Amino acid sequence: MTTPAPAPQEGLCAKLVRGWRNARSLNALQALTPHERSRVLADAGLNDLNAPAVLRANHVGTLLPAAMALHGVDGAAVEQDRPDLMNDLQRVCALCRSARTCRHLLAEGCTQPEHALLCPNADTLDALR
């Protein structure tokens, strides 16, 4: 009998976003002192100004894995080996202002060089290949 592979670790940014979508967690975050809230957000690479944009970024869960695959990066391996780097990739993707264009490019089957012109994570993804 084989043992299943361990599930990849979820990046801190993804955990916070998933957790904050739960009203109780959001209330708990808002109940923190400004200093404590800043520390929690800083741990995820966020601040009071960009956290709302990250919380609204529903595209990260679909576009980032597709972009990683297009650039030849094994997302599960990055998640497992470098959760800190995955956190950064997720945060950059969440703050990207070109999500709609990215979605269309990926749906149309764009090439890696076409996508790299648009994606703020392109250099990091290319370095991971």
Side-chain angles (χ1 to χ4, degrees):
M1 185 168 145
T2 61
T3 304
Q9 293 180 343
E10 186 175 38
L12 180 60
C13 185
K15 284 180 187 175
L16 288 172
V17 169
R18 184 177 43 75
W20 287 339
R21 289 200 172 121
N22 175 324
R24 279 189 240 163
S25 296
L26 182 56
N27 290 339
L29 180 66
Q30 291 171 340
L32 296 173
T33 67
H35 176 72
E36 291 170 328
R37 185 173 51 252
S38 293
R39 250 190 29 227
V40 168
L41 291 173
D43 285 346
L46 302 172
N47 59 47
D48 282 325
L49 297 175
N50 63 17
V54 170
L55 294 174
R56 290 189 304 269
N58 296 327
H59 63 273
V60 176
T62 56
L63 296 184
L64 183 58
M68 293 178 88
L70 179 66
H71 287 260
V73 175
D74 180 352
V78 174
E79 186 80 49
Q80 180 68 38
D81 300 337
R82 294 287 312 274
D84 58 325
L85 181 58
M86 182 59 88
N87 180 46
D88 289 341
L89 290 166
Q90 291 167 338
R91 181 177 39 80
V92 169
C93 185
L95 296 172
C96 180
R97 295 179 180 214
S98 300
R100 181 175 291 172
T101 304
C102 181
R103 182 178 293 109
H104 291 297
L105 281 175
L106 291 170
E108 293 170 359
C110 69
T111 65
Q112 181 272 332
E114 290 171 325
H115 185 262
L117 293 173
L118 168 78
C119 182
N121 275 323
D123 290 339
T124 303
L125 294 175
D126 290 341
L128 288 169
R129 278 193 284 159

